[in-house]
Amino acid sequence: MGLRAAILSGRLAPGRALPSSRALAGQLGLGRNMVVEAYEQLAADGLTEARPGAGTFVAASLPPPPHEAPAQPPQPDLWDRRQEAFALGQTEATPDLLARLGAATRRAIAQAGPDLLSYGDPRGSPALRREIAAFLAAHRGLACDPDCIVVVSGTQHGLRLCLDALLPDGAPVWMEDPGYTTSRDTLIAAGMSPVPVPVDAAGIDVAAGRALSPQAVAAYVTPSHQFPLGRTLEMTRRVQLIDWARSTGAWILEDDYDSEFRYAGPPLSALAGLAPDHVIYIGTFAKMVFPGLRIGYLVLPPRALRPVLAARAALDRFSAPFLQEALAELMREGHLARHLRRVGRSYRTARDLLAAELRESSGGALVPEVPDQGLHMVVRAGPGLSPRALAKLRRSDGPVLRLLSDCRFGPPGEEALILGFSGHDLTAIRRGARSLGKAARRLLDGPTGV
């Protein structure tokens, strides 16, 4: 490596003689065979040339040396990955689940036939698609053909496939405001033009969307558990959204965000069950299992299947099959359902603890909105505390805090905190809630409630 670097940097000029392999081995205290192999590799790469009877020389024709050191690669601007209390999207991967998943993956590899060792079906594992279809029919009121399910590596992967395959460049797409910033970034990266449409107590305001962008060709929504407000799209709005899609030929991209964990009442039906001809359902196992599993799925109308698969073939052809087979086994044998019940109870406990500690420690300065489902909580300013004061609670060295304004794309509006409570140690939640509550009380006790 030292000789290679010296030649490429120009420190060893073209045509310069190199020591014999025996001499260089003696100088460096190495075995001669090692030096001979290094010389042979340099010659194979065209950096040196042997002259019979004369020795080894630096090649006469080399690329010019660089004039300056290569720049350091830019560091990506990524979101905060800290795991302490209130970070969003954390899950509880139990030892039992991990052990079963590991065993099932080993079985899938050991018993793999040609179908798992080749490129396979670009839609993904048939076994997993059958289990997903059964799950959706039982829990989301969505009857679908497993042949119309496409396994992807996550929500954003599935969303990007649909955008690339089905929408023209620069197309306007309705986006809930406030909404999911990661999906907005995906829309922009795909060349779309997101149109922020306000969300109220009933969900996305379809009439406002029609007025803001009547030419929109798609709408991205989180109807079962809107992020970040946690509201459910009411039936009147669902009908309005479907009527708009059918009258204009637009697509509805339904991200079923956090729908798996419901703490009161029966499971909510998916929007796709009402209009399977115009709704593309996007689901993921990131919250049910853990984000690192990297398995999500699309439920596509039949007319969208061919173009989406063509886009898939151009990007990554198919998903890795072994984890899919393992996950299908866990679903088929009921292990995933038991895991969801177990962690659901754990998340409910964390939710209730967070709400109680915030109320007590803040003395009314913070008002938590306890959600009936999902993995995060909206917390608003109480009487006497200015909503603007909530921004002062964010500390770079404190718990992870996200503000409602962080998720807003259009004009300023109401402010609140967005606190994740899933997958965190209860001690960390209690400590973080008390610290946050005390800080809010200090602001409340200030001269004007800040």
Side-chain angles (χ1 to χ4, degrees), residues 17-104:
L18 298 180
S20 69
S21 59
R22 187 182 304 279
L24 185 59
Q27 293 174 19
L28 299 178
L30 301 174
R32 187 186 175 202
N33 287 342
M34 184 178 297
V35 176
V36 170
E37 290 179 5
Y39 273 21
E40 290 175 347
Q41 184 64 57
L42 291 172
D45 291 341
L47 298 179
T48 62
E49 54 190 24
R51 299 177 187 173
T56 300
F57 297 80
V58 177
S61 179
L62 293 173
H67 296 292
E68 56 185 27
Q72 290 295 317
Q75 295 301 310
D77 182 18
L78 298 178
W79 56 91
D80 194 338
R81 286 194 173 89
R82 291 180 292 173
Q83 304 292 304
E84 60 260 37
F86 310 149
L88 300 175
Q90 306 304 305
T91 61
E92 186 176 324
T94 63
D96 176 70
L97 179 76
L98 294 176
R100 292 185 183 279
L101 181 62

Side-chain angles (χ1 to χ4, degrees), residues 362-432:
S362 72
L366 297 177
V367 180
E369 296 181 355
V370 182
D372 289 335
Q373 73 178 58
L375 305 178
H376 73 272
M377 180 182 298
V378 174
V379 180
R380 300 188 184 276
L385 184 66
S386 167
R388 295 189 303 273
L390 296 177
K392 294 180 179 284
L393 297 176
R394 176 148 47 189
R395 297 288 184 270
S396 60
D397 58 347
V400 174
L401 297 179
R402 182 175 291 192
L403 297 170
L404 197 56
S405 55
D406 297 334
C407 305
R408 197 174 298 284
F409 316 132
E414 59 183 345
E415 188 63 288
L417 297 172
I418 307 168
L419 306 183
F421 54 78
S422 62
H424 298 295
D425 181 80
L426 294 181
T427 301
I429 288 180
R430 181 180 290 108
R431 181 171 57 247

Side-chain angles (χ1 to χ4, degrees), residues 102-129:
T105 303
R106 289 190 292 273
R107 281 192 293 273
I109 295 173
Q111 300 169 10
D115 55 330
L116 293 186
L117 299 177
S118 64
Y119 287 107
D121 192 324
R123 291 170 297 184
S125 159
L128 180 58
R129 289 188 281 115

Side-chain angles (χ1 to χ4, degrees), residues 277-449:
D277 53 337
H278 279 277
V279 180
I280 295 172
Y281 182 94
I282 308 173
T284 178
F285 289 94
K287 306 294 174 57
M288 286 195 281
V289 188
F290 49 83
L293 187 66
R294 305 313 307 140
I295 296 180
Y297 54 93
L298 301 170
V299 180
L300 296 166
R303 63 191 174 98
L305 185 60
R306 186 178 296 276
V308 169
L309 289 180
R312 178 67 179 278
L315 290 176
D316 60 354
R317 298 194 67 171
F318 74 116
S319 298
F322 297 116
L323 273 177
Q324 294 181 42
E325 291 293 305
L327 182 58
E329 178 182 318
L330 265 59
M331 296 179 75
R332 185 170 55 250
E333 297 187 356
H335 300 308
L336 182 60
R338 285 189 288 275
H339 169 75
L340 291 178
R341 289 193 294 270
R342 185 182 307 118
V343 298
R345 292 191 294 268
S346 175
Y347 297 162
R348 180 199 293 265
T349 298
R351 177 201 67 171
D352 294 344
L353 174 65
L354 174 58
E357 291 290 348
L358 286 175
R359 291 192 193 101
E360 181 178 351
S361 60
S362 72
L366 297 177
V367 180
E369 296 181 355
V370 182
D372 289 335
Q373 73 178 58
L375 305 178
H376 73 272
M377 180 182 298
V378 174
V379 180
R380 300 188 184 276
L385 184 66
S386 167
R388 295 189 303 273
L390 296 177
K392 294 180 179 284
L393 297 176
R394 176 148 47 189
R395 297 288 184 270
S396 60
D397 58 347
V400 174
L401 297 179
R402 182 175 291 192
L403 297 170
L404 197 56
S405 55
D406 297 334
C407 305
R408 197 174 298 284
F409 316 132
E414 59 183 345
E415 188 63 288
L417 297 172
I418 307 168
L419 306 183
F421 54 78
S422 62
H424 298 295
D425 181 80
L426 294 181
T427 301
I429 288 180
R430 181 180 290 108
R431 181 171 57 247
R434 288 178 178 176
S435 173
L436 185 59
K438 290 177 182 177
R441 177 179 283 181
R442 287 194 295 271
L443 293 176
L444 182 62
D445 294 336
T448 58

